[in-house]
Amino acid sequence: MTAASRWAGLAALLALWQGLALAGDGWLLAGPVQVAEWLWSNPGPTGRATAATLGNAAWGFLLGNGAAIGLAGIAALWPRALTLVAGLALVVFCLPLIATGPILRVLMGPGDGPQIVLAALAVYYTTLIPLLAGLRAMPQAWLDLVQSYGRGRWAELVHVRARAALPYLLAGLQISAPAAILGAMVGEFTGAERGLGVLTIRFTRDLDVPALWAAATLAAGLSMAVYAGIGWLGRRALSDPPPVILAAPRPVRGSPARKAAQAALLIGVVLVLWWAAVAGLNPFFARRPPDVAAALLWAPDAAATRATLGAAVAQTAGLALPGYAAGLALGAGLAVLLTLRPGLAAVTVPLAVALRSIPIVTTAPLVVLLLGRGATGTLTLVALMVFFPAFVACQQGLAQAPGPILDLFRSHASGPLRQMLHVRIPAMLPALFASARMTVPAAILAATVIEWLATGQGLGNLMALSASVSDYDMLWLTMVAATLLSALLYWAVAWAEGRVLAVMATEQVRP
Amino acid sequence: MAEIACTGVSKLYGDSILAVDGIDLTFVSGRTTALLGPSGCGKSTLLRLIAGLEEPTAGTVSIAGDPPAALCRRGGLSIAFQDPCLLPWLTVARNVALGRKLARQAPDPQRVDQLINLVGLGGFQNARPAALSGGMRQRAAIARALITRPQVLLLDEPFGALDALTRRQLAQDLPPLWQEQDATALLVTHSVDEAVMLADRIVVLSPRPARVIADLAVPLPRPRDPETPAFRRLAGDVLAVLARGGEQAQSLAAQ
Ligand SMILES: Nc1ncnc2c1ncn2[C@@H]1O[C@H](COP(=O)(O)OP(=O)(O)OP(=O)(O)O)[C@@H](O)[C@H]1O
Ligand SMILES: [Mg+2]
């Protein structure tokens, strides 16, 4: 049934796409037939580019997930490290890939290094977070059993936690496979020699519409294929159904002083790691924390730097925030609507699940092509980037409404609307917030990518500009600014989440 | 061998729930003791204290003179929890064998098979816990507890989810397994008949916080028959003690 409706949805989408292409004048929109023709007649370059991108994505996938598994293991063996590990993971997650790209480029030189690192960075968080949850998602009694034989954390990990976390790991790996392609392509956007990202940039410059659509289709198709492939492997490997809610570990509880101490420790460790990463490299481009602080605070032209940076941050935030909010609202709203209209959902939901796997950012040039270089394009891209994960998460949250309570409402002859308001929407909130947190960096990434590629505004543009004129102070500053922007928004969402769920809490809140 | 000594043991959960209050008890090896008491009185907590899974807030628990952890590390203690606690991804046979693995004992597939048959799960060796009934899971957990030939065996309502016939069958078949090894066995149960049937000694606990309100020997010869007058008389006595414990608590609460 699901498989059938998924194919039906896909066929409907293709037909719609072809119809629009036929109706249009061919300047903006190439239909599936044209795309297939183009791919058929240009097998050589596309094949090589695809191989390069897939190779980099695969290396990044291995490295990033390996790091995630290692760190999760450390956190399982030394629970005290959990706060620091989760905090560092968050900082890395908030790093703007598009600015990290050029910095890695100057640090690592030409070649595949930056693409691989970016792919690893793109996958690392989405695996680590479910894994950290999975390593703790078990009844205390299972751990008591191990302890009653006088065994310690290592035996817990080997006999209980590792296997219990497996479904969570597979869920994380599935999401991270398309993310690896995204990371590799963003790396290619920022100055590689080969790959689908490079082709995309070239076609954008040449305004080669069929080629552009073909490259985007290829990237989207690859993403859906790896997503579906890992999902299939996971279903073969496991009999238990995959967990759905991918919530981050709960924020630290405790006194404000303790929280402040932990935040300070985190900032300290980040600075030390930054310093260590650039140690021994040419300080001309490998800027250290004091260099960047000087450029911002006490260099002769610090005031001008601050003004430029501030304006760019304001521009980016001004578009990213409304787009982010719109994407969340649309995702949640559509999920609610479709739950009230289950017939429609049978076709749209599988389609959305498939489309979620597409890294929307890689289609940025198409969005520019269709919507122009103005604010509409940026808003749309950001909203789309947020929409799919939010929609799918909300859909799953709504479906998780506790059956006995729904039965209770039905037994009192309450209609679907009442059930929605009193049971389903409260059950959806944890999923909505989890996706809201996870999509924050994606929103900033989408905004900066489109600024970098097209709009000539905001942080993304400033990154591109400072990379091209070798203004490395500004390049590092833009990276710090974008990271802080993501982190602040993330914490704001987490704060709101705590507030709302404390009131509306269902059993789902603590998995 | 493995004598358990509780001296002045108390357990306070949080800062208001006193679950166990000043328990002084000694359990000698080779003997089976039944712990009886109303629901929520602190029986499971007492077992967890003896297994070293909780630290007492006052008093000490020692096994053969050492803290419980020492015997646990040697694989000499088994506890069957009130909730069967099988790992869902392992088959019944592997769940039972896990006991030996965790106790760092060499695998013994023959004994695994033998015990599974003895608890009446023959044919279910390769079934997963999800495919078992509640009572079947409990029996698998008992087999896991017995597989290591423990010196101290703690059973928390092991027959809670079983029908009367199976209960009686297991009550006959299982005790020899630990008695022949001279194990110190503690059995929490809600059934007075079961306590009289299985135990050499019955300790009756008060409603929460658990205090000892009666400590009775069971001087009946084995095998025991619940229909004999001596058995019925003893069971009646125990029930009366339990009831009195409840009344005392009520009058205390009323004051
Ligand atoms: N981890 C815990 N935290 C707080 N209170 C607890 C905890 N475990 C048990 N308690 C409390 O301690 C008391 C005794 O619990 P315990 O599980 O020992 O009872 P029990 O005698 O085994 O009951 P039952 O016969 O129903 O199994 C109860 O009031 C319970 O609420
Ligand atoms: Mg109990």
Side-chain angles (χ1 to χ4, degrees):
Chain A
M1 175 61 210
T2 1
S5 50
R6 184 173 309 160
W7 291 117
L10 214 53
L13 189 74
L14 284 178
L16 181 72
W17 176 12
Q18 183 66 45
L20 284 176
L22 287 178
D25 53 7
W27 271 107
L28 299 177
L29 194 57
V33 175
Q34 253 181 306
V35 164
E37 268 172 14
W38 190 91
L39 286 175
W40 180 254
S41 49
N42 295 281
T46 15
R48 279 192 296 279
T50 307
T53 302
L54 275 183
N56 293 334
W59 275 114
F61 182 82
L62 287 179
L63 291 175
N65 286 316
I69 292 171
L71 276 172
I74 289 176
L77 290 175
W78 289 284
R80 282 162 174 283
L82 177 69
T83 321
L84 189 61
V85 166
L88 274 179
L90 178 62
V91 173
V92 171
F93 183 50
C94 287
L95 283 181
L97 293 183
I98 194 82
T100 318
I103 288 180
L104 287 171
R105 183 66 58 203
V106 293
L107 296 184
M108 304 175 81
D112 292 335
Q115 291 93 292
I116 293 176
V117 174
L118 283 190
L121 287 178
V123 304
Y124 149 84
Y125 194 71
T126 45
T127 300
L128 181 63
I129 290 310
L131 200 49
L132 286 177
L135 285 168
R136 311 160 137 248
M138 66 211 57
Q140 177 63 34
W142 296 1
L143 305 176
D144 286 344
L145 178 73
V146 176
Q147 213 197 323
S148 75
Y149 289 95
R151 306 291 299 274
R153 291 211 145 249
W154 177 252
E156 271 178 22
L157 185 60
V158 171
H159 292 291
V160 177
R161 290 184 193 267
R163 179 57 183 75
L166 195 58
Y168 291 78
L169 172 65
L170 286 170
L173 289 183
Q174 189 181 17
I175 294 183
S176 74
I181 295 183
L182 165 95
M185 282 187 69
V186 170
E188 289 161 2
F189 285 165
T190 59
E193 286 149 7
R194 296 173 303 154
L196 281 176
V198 178
L199 283 192
T200 304
I201 298 267
R202 188 178 313 150
F203 298 150
T204 310
R205 217 170 32 223
D206 302 348
L207 267 183
D208 186 344
V209 174
L212 204 45
W213 278 90
T217 309
L218 203 55
L222 287 176
S223 302
M224 289 206 288
V226 290
Y227 182 83
I230 294 195
W232 179 79
L233 281 179
R235 282 191 300 279
R236 302 248 346 211
L238 289 179
S239 45
D240 22 354
V244 275
I245 293 186
L246 303 177
R250 304 302 306 163
V252 264
R253 266 164 297 168
S255 62
R258 199 179 132 86
K259 280 186 188 171
Q262 253 150 353
L265 175 70
L266 179 61
I267 292 172
V269 171
V270 168
L271 290 180
V272 168
L273 286 180
W274 172 359
W275 213 313
V278 297
L281 293 169
N282 184 348
F284 172 60
F285 54 78
R287 310 300 273 170
R288 297 164 304 142
D291 305 331
V292 172
L296 186 67
L297 298 176
W298 57 80
D301 56 351
T305 305
R306 281 198 297 272
T308 316
L309 190 67
V313 170
Q315 279 171 343
T316 300
L319 290 178
L321 294 184
Y324 169 78
L328 279 183
L330 281 176
L334 195 65
V336 168
L337 208 68
L338 286 183
T339 307
L340 293 172
R341 286 258 160 282
L344 208 56
V347 177
T348 43
V349 172
L351 186 65
V353 170
L355 289 183
R356 175 183 63 164
S357 62
I358 301 176
I360 302 289
V361 163
T362 58
T363 61
L366 295 185
V367 173
V368 174
L369 196 62
L370 292 174
L371 299 174
R373 287 163 191 272
T376 330
T378 313
L379 279 173
T380 309
L381 188 76
V382 174
L384 273 179
M385 191 80 178
V386 175
F387 167 77
F388 282 106
F391 172 70
V392 173
C394 287
Q395 184 73 37
Q396 288 169 337
L398 286 168
Q400 290 215 319
I405 300 187
L406 283 178
D407 287 343
L408 181 72
F409 271 71
R410 282 190 202 110
S411 73
H412 289 295
S414 308
L417 249 152
R418 272 188 92 79
Q419 290 178 24
M420 177 60 74
L421 269 181
H422 294 285
V423 188
R424 290 192 189 272
I425 288 184
M428 178 190 86
L429 285 178
L432 173 63
F433 276 112
S435 69
R437 267 186 287 123
M438 298 294 273
T439 48
V440 163
I444 304 294
L445 172 68
T448 45
V449 164
I450 202 160
E451 286 165 353
W452 173 291
L453 290 179
T455 67
Q457 280 196 324
L459 274 175
N461 178 56
L462 192 55
M463 290 165 185
L465 218 60
S466 39
S468 66
V469 301
S470 305
D471 182 354
Y472 290 112
D473 276 334
M474 188 56 100
L475 186 57
W476 284 90
L477 272 174
T478 54
M479 180 157 96
V480 173
T483 308
L484 284 179
L485 190 58
S486 286
L488 279 179
L489 187 52
Y490 186 100
W491 273 314
V493 174
W495 180 83
E497 178 182 24
R499 282 297 157 108
V500 173
L501 293 190
V503 181
M504 309 283 291
T506 62
E507 301 86 75
Q508 290 179 34
V509 179
R510 282 175 223 294
Chain B
M1 262 173 50
E3 186 176 276
I4 304 171
C6 301
T7 33
V9 172
S10 298
K11 176 70 190 179
L12 188 68
Y13 282 116
D15 37 34
S16 59
I17 302 180
L18 185 62
V20 171
D21 187 16
I23 296 267
D24 285 300
L25 282 170
T26 305
F27 306 100
V28 298
S29 55
R31 292 304 173 92
T32 304
T33 306
L35 293 174
L36 274 174
S39 175
C41 78
K43 303 180 296 297
S44 299
T45 304
L46 186 58
L47 286 202
R48 293 175 61 82
L49 286 163
I50 293 173
L53 294 173
E54 309 278 356
E55 284 297 317
T57 20
T60 55
V61 177
S62 71
I63 302 179
D66 292 319
L71 183 69
C72 290
R73 270 196 294 276
R74 294 199 304 275
L77 181 146
S78 282
I79 176 166
F81 297 95
Q82 191 166 356
D83 166 293
C85 182
L86 303 177
L87 299 185
W89 53 84
L90 297 180
T91 60
V92 168
R94 280 166 178 273
N95 261 300
V96 173
L98 180 68
R100 290 188 74 87
K101 232 185 226 171
L102 288 175
R104 295 198 174 90
Q105 296 177 347
D108 186 350
Q110 253 180 331
R111 187 169 155 81
V112 170
D113 226 41
Q114 198 186 338
L115 269 176
I116 289 178
N117 282 318
L118 195 74
V119 296
L121 289 180
F124 286 93
Q125 274 87 344
N126 292 321
R128 308 230 174 226
L132 303 184
S133 75
M136 291 161 87
R137 280 178 224 163
Q138 252 185 339
R139 284 180 275 156
I142 296 172
R144 181 178 59 201
L146 290 171
I147 191 73
T148 53
R149 300 180 197 275
Q151 287 169 267
V152 168
L153 178 66
L154 309 173
L155 300 171
D156 197 348
E157 290 181 43
F159 309 132
L162 299 182
D163 63 283
L165 271 177
T166 315
R167 265 169 190 257
R168 195 164 285 188
Q169 185 68 46
L170 290 184
Q172 264 169 25
D173 292 351
L174 293 183
L177 286 178
W178 65 79
Q179 280 158 358
E180 75 196 14
Q181 289 153 213
D182 253 3
T184 316
L186 252 70
L187 169 84
V188 170
T189 173
H190 280 298
S191 152
V192 173
D193 271 24
E194 204 164 273
V196 179
M197 184 80 180
L198 285 167
D200 305 300
R201 172 187 176 198
I202 297 177
V203 172
V204 181
L205 299 173
S206 66
R208 190 174 70 81
R211 299 195 189 102
V212 179
I213 55 174
D215 194 341
L216 312 163
V218 185
L220 303 177
R222 294 174 198 263
R224 294 171 183 164
D225 179 357
E227 310 308 330
T228 57
F231 190 106
R232 298 270 36 111
R233 203 173 321 117
L234 193 59
D237 290 350
V238 174
L239 206 55
V241 172
L242 260 175
R244 231 180 302 130
E247 281 161 22
Q248 270 173 10
Q250 269 174 5
S251 64
L252 272 178
Q255 279 169 18

